[in-house]
Amino acid sequence: MKRWMKKVFKGKTLVLGGLAMAVALSGCGKASEQAATGAASAQPASTAQADKKDAKPVELNFYFSGSANVKEMWETLAPQFEKANPGIKVKLVHLPDGQAEGAAIDKVLGAKKAGQKSIDIDVFETGLSNLTKGEKDGVWMKMDSTIIPNLSKVDAAYMNDVHQLAVPYRASSVVLAYNSKNVPTPPKTADELYDWIHKHPGKFAYNDPATGGAGSSFVQTAIYNFLPADAVHNADPSVMQQWDKGFALLKELGPFMYQKGVYPKKNQGTLDILASGEVDMIPAWSDMGLEQISKKTLPDTIKLTQIEPAFTGGPSYIAIPAMSEKKEAAEKFINYALTPEAQTVVINKMYGYPGIKWSEMPADLQKKFESVAKGYRTFTIGSLGDEINKRWQREVAGGN
Amino acid sequence: MVIPSFLILLLVVVIPILLAIQESFKDDDSGSFTLSNYVFLFADKFMRKNIGFTLSLTIVSMVIVILVSYMLAMYLRFNQGKIVDWIKRLYFIPMFIPSVIGTYGMISMYSNHGWLARFVLLAGGDYFPKIIYSYSGILLANLWFNIPFATMMLSSALAGIPNSIVESAKDAGAGRLQILGRFIIPLSYKTMLVTMTFVFMGIIGGFTAPFLMGPNAPQVLGVAMEQMFGAYKEIGRTSATAVFMFVLCSFMGYFYIRSMIQEERS
């Protein structure tokens, strides 16, 4: 209760609180959402909107989620876009990590189910799991390079992964971060890594998988390395029976972990103890690692590397809800996000990988990212990820 | 004059509680009536451990908080001097420190490579006990955050005891323990009850410190609820846990209110 109140008092999130309430009151959701939509999109037909374009700027409602660095990035990009496209205003709606994003996606899904004609979300930035939730119901608009010319710069395989429903505009992956002072030769494969952990008790840590993607990636790869390669794209619960070997490995590694089985909370929790020297090796997000090395919050002896088979990673996507009434402006916005200028901002602010091909990027940036841009695996196991976390909580964390 | 406050009470307290109770009897997928959320709460081994962990932590913390605060408050009430003055000025500082800051402060003080461990190392010690990321870590945080508040409450109660009572008792030959048992505790136990109620409720619903410096398992209910709601979206189970905590707190509140009513009647 207390936490909830604190969040609501943060001002901006007031809107979200109201939104969450609207979703929660599912019975009367339809009416209240329409009321909320009222002001933003009074004119139902898109032709009426085109006429008005000259007189009044189109306001794009852009919902995005993520940590402070994502917010900072969009706060830089949006004014640049507005400058290049007078007549379009971008209203940024930041969804802090956690429940707000779920509420917003529920709003999109709920509007579709309730049979509404429009929605006041024009561009949505989200991860793979939310995207697949909406795919069945057809809530996202299909995109191709005829409407968004810069899509030709994006690797076609990534677009095919999501059936052209969203644009991967940036990516990052989990990598191994290690202290090169104490670890001259880092492990190159997963087996070498587990071996290293056994030989250096207390010097490795991964974060509680329910609290951050880095730990979750370590757990998931440990489990799925025992399974056939195509299992990582199988969201069917029958796969769960094959997890035992992986969990046995994690349980067995437990006593060799930091403080014999302490799994810090959040991705930052492990980075903190790596910085203080309590551990020598952790799985970490490449963007967080690179950012903190360059800002000197991690000592410069910390190096990043990828192992084989790779940890998981993945793009963040932007999509256009099919019910948006300002698609034309939304397409322009996405097109802008895929220009090399915008992508350079993405890289510099987020330390992420660009959404467009490396060959489209300036040469000096290509060089800078050589060490981590090796690749990653994308798991699409859907809600099985939650099942892994629950079982981990009981068997691995509960075992000590 | 009553209507605005009643409306606020209705909107921010009564309706959310009713909604939570309603949610707790609903199946997450089908929305039909079910008791399975409560069955999960009490039958699941992991959840039972969490409940036991939370209750033990809350009660142990509460008892220690009350003991320490009582002693501190009495020391401040019946002694004079420079040290007393300084303690009076300083003891409530933790109340003004946000819990996240306080918790991170404790982590950098007591963790394995924290300040304390470095001093131990400097002094030639080679072993430092694991204080945080465990039961003792949360206990420490609970004491840190609650002792100032409890001391403040009890100090105000003790300030209401006239010096003349204590002095005349002394003149009549009463010992220290007799004064404590016959005068001080009877004259301040109501405030102690209030303090206990507040400390209990504050600790049982605690989140920040247990999340940041508690063990991964078992979890206190606040952390478990956050995980069920935020990570797994199990609204029914979360609501059931919330209702259970609400019942625990109202149990505590019941005794408090009853003693208040008795007071008014007499």
Side-chain angles (χ1 to χ4, degrees):
Chain A
M1 191 71 162
K2 243 193 214 162
R3 240 167 63 87
W4 175 80
M5 269 173 33
K6 247 185 239 163
K7 265 197 169 162
V8 170
F9 283 137
K10 264 201 211 150
K12 219 182 212 174
T13 34
L14 253 174
V15 184
L16 293 172
L19 195 153
M21 232 163 104
V23 176
L25 300 165
S26 49
C28 40
K30 205 170 162 186
S32 52
E33 261 168 34
Q34 267 167 355
T37 325
S41 52
Q43 56 281 72
S46 55
T47 45
Q49 185 151 0
D51 294 338
K52 281 202 167 185
K53 206 184 240 171
D54 301 323
K56 215 170 117 200
V58 180
E59 199 183 57
L60 272 185
N61 285 305
F62 175 38
Y63 280 55
F64 64 99
S65 54
S67 312
N69 52 358
V70 182
K71 188 164 171 252
E72 233 169 76
M73 176 187 81
W74 287 115
E75 277 166 357
T76 316
L77 281 178
Q80 288 180 10
F81 169 76
E82 283 170 359
K83 219 168 164 191
N85 296 277
I88 305 179
K89 281 242 163 299
V90 182
K91 194 176 147 224
L92 297 175
V93 182
H94 178 224
L95 314 169
D97 277 334
Q99 69 224 49
E101 188 184 0
I105 198 86
D106 287 347
K107 180 179 170 178
V108 178
L109 295 178
K112 179 85 187 173
K113 271 188 196 145
Q116 287 177 45
K117 296 234 158 46
S118 67
I119 192 162
D120 60 340
I121 300 178
D122 304 304
V123 187
F124 203 108
E125 192 256 32
T126 185
L128 193 61
S129 58
N130 281 329
L131 209 60
T132 46
K133 258 191 223 164
E135 191 187 339
K136 277 179 283 180
D137 300 322
V139 302
W140 309 117
M141 188 184 94
K142 252 194 189 347
M143 287 177 275
D144 58 51
S145 52
T146 56
I147 54 171
I148 298 175
N150 279 336
L151 275 182
S152 61
K153 297 193 176 103
V154 178
D155 196 333
Y158 289 136
M159 287 298 289
N160 288 336
D161 272 352
V162 290
H163 311 116
Q164 271 80 29
L165 292 173
V167 179
Y169 77 98
R170 69 179 165 94
S172 57
S173 72
V174 175
V175 294
L176 203 60
Y178 64 97
N179 190 340
S180 60
K181 206 170 67 187
N182 300 333
V183 188
T185 49
K188 288 195 182 61
T189 66
D191 288 330
E192 278 179 42
L193 170 62
Y194 303 142
D195 200 42
W196 187 93
I197 295 172
H198 279 124
K199 286 189 183 137
H200 301 82
K203 286 296 177 188
F204 184 87
Y206 62 92
N207 62 285
D208 184 334
T211 66
S216 161
S217 177
F218 181 85
V219 170
Q220 291 188 0
T221 49
I223 293 167
Y224 277 84
N225 285 348
F226 288 107
L227 269 65
D230 57 345
V232 302
H233 297 300
N234 188 351
D236 193 78
S238 64
V239 183
M240 287 166 71
Q241 287 156 5
Q242 302 172 50
W243 287 352
D244 296 352
K245 262 191 183 171
F247 273 108
L249 170 71
L250 289 168
K251 224 192 293 187
E252 190 261 325
L253 285 173
F256 296 95
M257 289 290 142
Y258 171 62
Q259 295 194 356
K260 298 193 172 66
V262 167
Y263 306 91
K265 304 286 166 70
K266 301 241 166 211
N267 294 322
Q268 189 58 42
T270 41
L271 282 163
D272 286 343
I273 55 173
L274 180 70
S276 68
E278 287 176 80
V279 294
D280 285 333
M281 204 184 286
I282 59 165
W285 281 103
S286 57
D287 53 341
M288 291 179 83
L290 286 168
E291 178 175 11
Q292 293 179 24
I293 291 170
S294 82
K295 286 189 176 158
K296 311 265 182 232
T297 49
L298 279 175
D300 52 11
T301 54
I302 303 296
K303 297 264 186 303
L304 307 180
T305 186
Q306 185 57 279
I307 57 166
E308 189 63 42
F311 285 120
T312 56
S316 284
Y317 297 92
I318 17 184
I320 305 180
M323 287 154 75
S324 156
E325 293 180 326
K326 300 160 193 161
K327 292 202 182 83
E328 206 179 312
E331 285 155 13
K332 272 191 190 154
F333 183 65
I334 294 185
N335 196 47
Y336 175 77
L338 293 173
T339 56
E341 302 90 79
Q343 289 286 316
T344 306
V345 174
V346 170
I347 293 192
N348 286 336
K349 285 263 177 221
M350 296 290 306
Y351 299 89
Y353 311 150
I356 60 178
K357 292 173 207 151
W358 275 108
S359 53
E360 305 276 353
M361 296 300 291
D364 55 320
L365 280 173
Q366 289 187 32
K367 208 159 193 182
K368 196 172 144 195
F369 279 79
E370 235 169 10
S371 70
V372 284
K374 266 190 221 162
Y376 52 82
R377 288 187 287 171
T378 312
F379 280 21
T380 46
I381 53 173
S383 59
L384 289 187
D386 284 349
E387 294 303 323
I388 290 183
N389 290 350
K390 283 185 209 166
R391 189 165 161 191
W392 180 89
Q393 190 82 49
R394 276 144 208 269
E395 293 186 14
V396 182
N400 60 355
Chain B
M1 280 313 279
V2 181
I3 291 172
S5 56
F6 175 73
L7 273 182
I8 290 175
L9 198 70
L10 195 73
L11 273 175
V12 306
V13 181
V14 179
I15 293 178
I17 288 177
L18 291 179
L19 278 177
I21 294 174
Q22 187 201 354
E23 286 288 346
S24 71
F25 287 109
K26 253 201 219 159
D27 189 84
D28 275 351
D29 297 319
S30 63
S32 55
F33 176 85
T34 176
L35 282 173
S36 66
N37 294 323
Y38 287 95
V39 172
F40 169 79
L41 191 59
F42 299 111
D44 185 72
K45 199 178 117 210
F46 187 68
M47 262 332 261
R48 275 216 311 260
K49 256 195 198 167
N50 286 350
I51 292 173
F53 183 72
T54 311
L55 281 179
S56 130
L57 198 59
T58 307
I59 290 165
V60 170
S61 302
M62 187 178 76
V63 169
I64 301 180
V65 164
I66 294 295
L67 275 179
V68 173
S69 304
Y70 231 121
M71 287 195 282
L72 189 59
M74 279 192 289
Y75 174 74
L76 296 179
R77 168 71 180 79
F78 298 110
N79 287 280
Q80 273 102 36
K82 263 216 170 109
I83 301 175
V84 175
D85 286 344
W86 274 106
I87 295 177
K88 268 185 188 161
R89 271 175 222 156
L90 295 176
Y91 79 85
F92 48 78
I93 284 179
M95 282 172 64
F96 300 105
I97 295 176
S99 54
V100 178
I101 312 270
T103 309
Y104 273 112
M106 266 178 264
I107 291 177
S108 51
M109 182 77 194
Y110 298 106
S111 78
N112 230 6
H113 267 218
W115 286 95
L116 215 58
R118 281 178 221 178
F119 285 130
V120 170
L121 217 67
L122 261 183
D126 55 357
Y127 171 76
F128 188 72
K130 177 174 150 183
I131 296 175
I132 60 167
Y133 302 125
S134 64
Y135 186 95
S136 54
I138 310 179
L139 185 63
L140 188 74
N142 285 343
L143 300 185
W144 201 80
F145 287 115
N146 286 290
I147 286 178
F149 168 73
T151 309
M152 203 173 73
M153 295 280 285
L154 292 169
S155 288
S156 72
L158 294 183
I161 299 174
N163 272 338
S164 55
I165 291 187
V166 180
E167 272 153 25
S168 52
K170 263 188 198 158
D171 287 344
R176 283 183 164 214
L177 279 179
Q178 271 178 316
I179 297 178
L180 180 73
R182 298 269 173 90
F183 297 102
I184 296 175
I185 289 182
L187 284 170
S188 60
Y189 91 96
K190 279 241 154 78
T191 313
M192 187 182 82
L193 267 182
V194 179
T195 314
M196 270 168 84
T197 315
F198 280 116
V199 169
F200 180 89
M201 291 189 202
I203 291 175
I204 202 165
F207 175 79
T208 313
F211 179 72
L212 289 171
M213 47 197 277
N216 298 91
Q219 301 164 314
V220 305
L221 290 177
V223 176
M225 277 164 70
E226 197 272 342
Q227 209 163 61
M228 282 192 281
F229 186 76
Y232 307 139
K233 311 264 183 299
E234 297 173 335
I235 295 165
R237 285 177 181 180
T238 317
S239 306
T241 318
V243 171
F244 173 65
M245 272 168 74
F246 176 70
V247 169
L248 280 180
C249 286
S250 34
F251 192 66
M252 205 55 203
Y254 168 74
F255 285 109
Y256 161 59
I257 290 170
R258 203 180 65 168
S259 75
M260 289 293 121
I261 289 173
Q262 273 173 352
E263 167 135 311
E264 263 169 38
R265 273 195 197 134
S266 57

